[in-house]
Amino acid sequence: MEFHYPTGRKYVAPSDSGKRVHAPKKETIYSNRGMTLEEDLNETNQYYLANGLAVIHKKPTPVQIVHVDYKKRSTAVIKEAYFRQASTTDYNGICNSKYIDFEAKETKSPTSFPLKNIHEHQIEHMQNIIKQNGIAFVIIRFSLTEEIFLLEGKRLFEFWDRMKNGGRKSITKKELMIHGHPIELGWAPRIDYLKVIRQLYGF
Amino acid sequence: MEFHYPTGRKYVAPSDSGKRVHAPKKETIYSNRGMTLEEDLNETNQYYLANGLAVIHKKPTPVQIVHVDYKKRSTAVIKEAYFRQASTTDYNGICNSKYIDFEAKETKSPTSFPLKNIHEHQIEHMQNIIKQNGIAFVIIRFSLTEEIFLLEGKRLFEFWDRMKNGGRKSITKKELMIHGHPIELGWAPRIDYLKVIRQLYGF
């Protein structure tokens, strides 16, 4: 997870329980892009849940809590905490008996997706999921053009290995067009990734 | 999630990424009981993961972040945040194609498990999981006697409905002995809940 907010700016928490939290309006054009994919996916997951199609949630942001002020019993205030690197992917759940697990990433690059957005332990996690016969993938959005691709875990691993073997440190958009699956932004659901998954896995 | 720490005491973060954090030794006897089940389950899940048996993780504690200090780019400090109620269960993952979802709770009561430890939306979540053909249950530990029970979702719902219909607000230990499944504390894995689940669901 990356944080790009300038000094002193208020952090607007990701809405991981379905409770939407909006960033101030004037900041929505570029700096909020990092949250937009998450908001769209949360809405998508709410749509799936409300329609009995799937139960998929974003995990809360991992935080290392150091100090808590318990002045009042009911209002514990966390006074010192740090962001931690996630050890798994951000989203998981179930759809029609199938275990679903994915990471969602946005890039401002117009032409390629830098692999530094994915961490080694997330690759390992996805590999472990696939060994257990689960479905793992990544959703990539190009912020500038609003293009969204779903890339299956097994394909991602190939690009990862290429990098590990000294090859390029990113996946080009052209490669995503060939090896990934485009998702058009819709209304309800916003990002219908399950449609792609159901076609790919035939359920 | 409940917090029982007295005023001013340092919070020791749950080890949700496998990194173990221990509470000070002198406090381990009673006040640390609330973490012990979690630590045992994290070790169990690490055992399952290391042996390729399952990929099951605890979700991070949900925190509402209000203010972050970005003095240095690399060291963002969360200066104000609050604990939020979880909208799902604490643990989920996959074992041998099967989606696994559970909540773990400890009680100091010697004779019964108070249902106030479970929230309505967690019940709803487990019901949604079962509708998608997933496996949902709760692990209950009686701190005083170290007895552990696994209670399947469908049984838990019956006790929940009994309460909703004006009946008792807890599940007696006797009822857990009849409707639940005892788990003996082991060495590796510590709490072998998958053994029970595999027997129940035949995989």
Side-chain angles (χ1 to χ4, degrees):
Chain A
M1 193 156 194
E2 286 182 44
F3 297 93
H4 295 294
Y5 306 102
T7 306
R9 184 166 143 210
K10 259 204 170 185
Y11 173 85
V12 182
S15 55
D16 46 45
S17 75
K19 197 174 132 195
R20 293 192 60 174
V21 186
H22 289 283
K25 205 96 193 195
K26 58 173 180 160
E27 289 171 347
T28 49
I29 299 172
Y30 280 104
S31 58
N32 195 34
R33 288 288 167 120
M35 292 191 65
T36 308
L37 177 58
E38 183 177 320
E39 287 198 335
D40 281 344
L41 284 171
N42 285 346
E43 285 214 355
T44 300
N45 291 337
Q46 280 168 45
Y47 174 90
Y48 290 152
L49 185 63
N51 290 278
L53 298 168
V55 184
I56 296 163
H57 289 278
K58 186 184 176 291
K59 294 181 188 177
T61 303
V63 159
Q64 178 76 38
I65 298 162
V66 174
H67 183 70
V68 182
D69 195 345
Y70 290 95
K71 273 195 192 111
K72 286 180 192 171
R73 221 179 201 288
S74 54
T75 55
V77 185
I78 299 164
K79 288 288 191 182
E80 187 186 353
Y82 299 90
F83 293 106
R84 298 168 63 187
Q85 212 172 67
S87 55
T88 66
T89 47
D90 267 358
Y91 298 84
N92 75 352
I94 182 171
C95 170
N96 201 11
S97 309
K98 306 275 192 260
Y99 176 87
I100 306 283
D101 197 297
F102 66 97
E103 185 64 27
K105 291 289 180 195
E106 219 158 0
T107 181
K108 283 175 184 166
S109 157
T111 52
S112 67
F113 174 72
L115 284 164
K116 66 169 188 228
N117 283 305
I118 308 279
H119 304 291
E120 182 94 48
H121 48 252
Q122 292 181 315
I123 295 286
E124 283 166 21
H125 172 73
M126 286 192 258
Q127 285 169 338
N128 287 330
I129 292 303
I130 290 170
K131 276 180 203 153
Q132 293 292 332
N133 210 19
I135 297 169
F137 54 92
V138 61
I139 292 175
I140 295 165
R141 177 190 259 169
F142 289 89
S143 315
L144 298 176
T145 52
E146 296 267 309
E147 288 164 288
I148 304 165
F149 294 93
L150 185 153
L151 186 68
E152 284 180 273
K154 61 182 177 189
R155 295 285 169 223
L156 174 65
F157 306 154
E158 289 168 10
F159 292 116
W160 189 262
D161 289 343
R162 179 175 71 180
M163 177 182 72
K164 287 280 161 189
N165 294 324
R168 62 177 299 145
K169 293 183 175 66
S170 64
I171 308 172
T172 66
K173 200 190 276 183
K174 212 174 237 174
E175 287 170 333
L176 282 171
M177 283 170 174
I178 296 164
H179 301 285
H181 306 271
I183 305 178
E184 272 185 48
L185 200 63
W187 167 243
R190 303 291 304 267
I191 299 174
D192 196 2
Y193 61 87
L194 279 184
K195 191 179 159 191
V196 176
I197 290 301
R198 298 185 86 127
Q199 278 169 354
L200 284 170
Y201 294 85
F203 68 91
Chain B
M1 195 156 192
E2 287 182 41
F3 296 93
H4 295 294
Y5 306 102
T7 305
R9 184 166 142 208
K10 257 204 173 183
Y11 173 85
V12 181
S15 54
D16 46 46
S17 76
K19 197 174 130 195
R20 292 193 59 175
V21 186
H22 289 282
K25 204 93 193 200
K26 59 173 178 159
E27 289 170 347
T28 50
I29 299 173
Y30 281 104
S31 59
N32 195 34
R33 288 288 167 121
M35 291 190 65
T36 307
L37 176 58
E38 183 176 321
E39 287 198 335
D40 282 343
L41 284 171
N42 285 345
E43 285 214 356
T44 300
N45 290 337
Q46 279 168 46
Y47 175 90
Y48 290 152
L49 184 64
N51 290 278
L53 298 168
V55 183
I56 297 164
H57 289 278
K58 186 184 176 292
K59 294 181 189 176
T61 303
V63 158
Q64 178 77 37
I65 298 163
V66 174
H67 183 71
V68 183
D69 195 345
Y70 291 95
K71 273 195 191 111
K72 286 179 192 170
R73 218 178 203 287
S74 54
T75 54
V77 185
I78 299 163
K79 289 288 193 185
E80 187 187 354
Y82 299 89
F83 292 107
R84 298 167 64 186
Q85 211 173 67
S87 54
T88 65
T89 47
D90 267 358
Y91 298 84
N92 75 352
I94 182 171
C95 170
N96 200 14
S97 308
K98 306 276 192 261
Y99 176 86
I100 306 283
D101 197 298
F102 66 97
E103 184 64 26
K105 290 291 180 192
E106 221 158 358
T107 180
K108 284 175 184 165
S109 158
T111 51
S112 68
F113 173 72
L115 283 165
K116 67 169 187 227
N117 284 303
I118 309 279
H119 303 292
E120 182 93 47
H121 48 254
Q122 291 181 315
I123 296 286
E124 282 165 22
H125 173 73
M126 287 191 257
Q127 285 169 340
N128 287 331
I129 292 303
I130 290 169
K131 274 181 205 153
Q132 293 293 332
N133 209 20
I135 297 169
F137 54 92
V138 60
I139 292 176
I140 296 166
R141 177 190 259 169
F142 289 90
S143 314
L144 298 175
T145 52
E146 296 266 311
E147 288 164 288
I148 304 165
F149 294 93
L150 186 153
L151 186 69
E152 284 179 272
K154 60 182 177 186
R155 295 285 170 222
L156 174 64
F157 305 155
E158 288 168 10
F159 292 115
W160 189 263
D161 288 343
R162 179 175 71 179
M163 178 182 72
K164 287 280 161 188
N165 292 323
R168 62 177 299 146
K169 294 183 174 66
S170 64
I171 309 172
T172 67
K173 201 191 276 182
K174 213 174 235 172
E175 286 170 333
L176 282 171
M177 282 169 174
I178 296 165
H179 301 285
H181 306 271
I183 305 177
E184 272 185 47
L185 201 63
W187 168 244
R190 303 290 304 266
I191 299 173
D192 195 2
Y193 61 87
L194 278 184
K195 192 179 158 190
V196 176
I197 290 301
R198 297 184 87 126
Q199 278 168 355
L200 284 171
Y201 293 85
F203 69 92

